[in-house]
Amino acid sequence: MNDRELLEAAARAAGIVIDKSPFNGGGRENTGFDVMGNAVLDWHNGTKWNPLTDDGDALRLAVKLNLDIEFDTLPDGPIVGVVAPWNDNFGDYRWYEWLLKDALSATRRAIVRAAAEVGKTPNVGGNRLAPTQEQR
């Protein structure tokens, strides 16, 4: 998944609506993303959302989805893991990123990857976090 797909799936998991309307200020070719790669929630007031680059957006996403963030050190170096209480049938799922260069960026990416996985999975088979069809 590229960053845009990650953000779209993470937004879906959190019930966040990306503004793709051509009539709301985004224009005819509106993809819902600005030139910097931020998801745009409202073109009129400039509300943007990008938990890959914004610590606050990442924290709000983790809280909304009840994600656990854990840090550990392996023989190859430090890692961050994000745990999603995802599926009644299979238990929790974990996503890991190495913390070697930029710990904040790696933590945000792990949060978004976990949220994206939740967002791309339909609310069936015990997936407790994905929005139901009525919630979308």
Side-chain angles (χ1 to χ4, degrees), residues 54-68:
D54 185 277
D55 294 339
D57 288 343
L59 179 61
R60 285 184 287 276
L61 181 61
V63 169
K64 183 158 190 164
L65 295 178
N66 194 30
L67 302 177
D68 291 328

Side-chain angles (χ1 to χ4, degrees), residues 4-132:
R4 182 175 289 188
E5 293 166 333
L6 282 173
L7 290 172
E8 287 177 335
R12 190 170 33 259
I16 294 171
V17 178
I18 296 173
D19 185 358
K20 295 183 179 183
S21 168
F23 307 109
N24 206 16
R28 287 183 9 190
E29 302 294 322
N30 183 10
T31 63
F33 290 83
D34 66 13
V35 294
M36 299 300 293
N38 299 304
V40 178
L41 307 184
D42 187 335
W43 287 96
H44 287 296
N45 67 20
T47 305
K48 297 173 182 166
W49 182 77
N50 192 340
L52 288 170
T53 60
D54 185 277
D55 294 339
D57 288 343
L59 179 61
R60 285 184 287 276
L61 181 61
V63 169
K64 183 158 190 164
L65 295 178
N66 194 30
L67 302 177
D68 291 328
I69 303 167
E70 51 191 36
F71 299 89
D72 200 359
T73 302
L74 299 179
D76 292 336
I79 62 168
V80 60
V82 176
V83 182
W86 186 61
N87 190 298
D88 291 329
N89 298 323
F90 301 107
D92 296 337
Y93 280 80
R94 299 168 190 272
W95 290 265
Y96 294 99
E97 292 284 334
W98 292 103
L99 296 175
L100 300 177
K101 293 183 181 178
D102 183 350
L104 292 174
S105 177
T107 303
R108 291 189 305 264
R109 182 163 293 278
I111 290 168
V112 173
R113 286 180 57 212
E117 196 65 31
V118 171
K120 74 179 190 179
T121 306
N123 192 348
V124 295
N127 182 351
R128 298 189 301 259
L129 296 179
T132 62

